[in-house]
Amino acid sequence: MKGSNCYRVLIIVAVVCLNHQLLICGADPTDGFIRVPLTDENFDLQKPYNIPLSQRYNYSDGVRSFWVYNKDKPFKPDSGTRPRTEVRIKGHDYSSGIWQFEGYAFVPTGTSGVTIVQIHGAAEGATTLQLRIYDGNMRYYRYNLVATDLYDKWFRVNVIHDVGKGKITVFIDGEEKFVVNDQGPGDLYFKCGVYAAPAKSSNFMESRWRDIKLFKK
């Protein structure tokens, strides 16, 4: 009898552990998506118009490093926008469906007041989403807190845009962190790098990216 009870206890423990393991592993944000192939031609780089690209961007050993200064010029002479060094995912603009951006980011201490990921395009305004770093924390524009303590380490970023439902979901290191309504239909595309925020930007801003991928359903 005692042996039978011990056996039942072991079975229960095993089931609980299995369920716990499944909860820990969870579903990956890319499950059910199809990867969209990207080549060098899909990475359109933008930088201050009066400076050579090599002074604001480096690509080495699979890591793309973007940096900019608060007093840099915009990306073209007639633009009134803030300084940037970014890559725009070209050739995969979208206006329907479900799309996902994925990349691993690194933001060094001191970089603040800067957008590192955005969805460009909206029914009104220029963007549907901006994920900014302020003092090591990630925010939706300058408002909602998305994630904390992101300085000086690699972290995985996944952004899913369900155009039909008008929803954007942000995952950090595979964990759902933020859901928000989008800004309406438009000619939409993903960008990453550094784009100085309208206010409270540090003098020097940098982000590094690797394993940038695009998915869709």
Side-chain angles (χ1 to χ4, degrees), residues 25-154:
C25 295
D28 190 86
T30 62
D31 286 351
F33 282 80
I34 299 171
R35 185 171 174 179
V36 178
L38 296 176
T39 67
D40 288 343
E41 294 180 354
N42 298 119
F43 292 85
D44 182 28
L45 289 156
Q46 300 175 345
K47 47 81 179 177
Y49 72 83
N50 63 330
I51 297 175
L53 180 62
S54 61
Q55 294 185 19
R56 294 293 182 270
Y57 171 79
N58 180 66
Y59 183 38
S60 178
D61 296 327
V63 176
R64 300 176 188 271
S65 298
F66 307 81
W67 64 95
V68 75
Y69 289 88
N70 196 23
K71 299 299 184 182
D72 277 346
K73 300 292 186 183
F75 76 110
K76 56 184 180 181
D78 60 347
S79 173
T81 59
R82 297 279 286 144
R84 75 184 74 190
T85 305
E86 292 182 296
V87 66
R88 173 222 202 276
I89 305 299
K90 185 176 69 173
H92 295 293
D93 295 13
Y94 63 95
S95 58
S96 62
I98 306 174
W99 290 77
Q100 180 171 180
F101 168 92
E102 178 182 89
Y104 288 80
F106 183 100
V107 180
T109 294
T111 289
S112 190
V114 63
T115 295
I116 64 167
V117 185
Q118 59 177 313
I119 299 175
H120 194 277
E124 295 183 12
T127 62
T128 287
L129 173 77
Q130 287 190 351
L131 296 178
R132 297 180 186 170
I133 298 295
Y134 287 100
D135 299 321
N137 301 321
M138 179 181 286
R139 291 188 176 274
Y140 169 70
Y141 294 90
R142 60 184 176 89
Y143 306 109
N144 308 67
L145 185 66
V146 177
T148 61
D149 190 27
L150 296 178
Y151 275 152
D152 300 326
K153 62 185 179 184
W154 286 101

Side-chain angles (χ1 to χ4, degrees), residues 161-177:
H161 188 188
D162 188 330
V163 180
K165 293 183 178 179
K167 293 287 184 183
I168 297 171
T169 306
V170 178
F171 295 80
I172 301 297
D173 289 329
E175 181 180 350
E176 183 180 307
K177 290 290 190 178

Side-chain angles (χ1 to χ4, degrees), residues 5-19:
N5 287 337
C6 288
Y7 181 75
R8 290 194 187 97
V9 169
L10 287 173
I11 292 292
I12 292 171
V13 169
V15 170
V16 169
C17 289
L18 178 60
N19 288 336

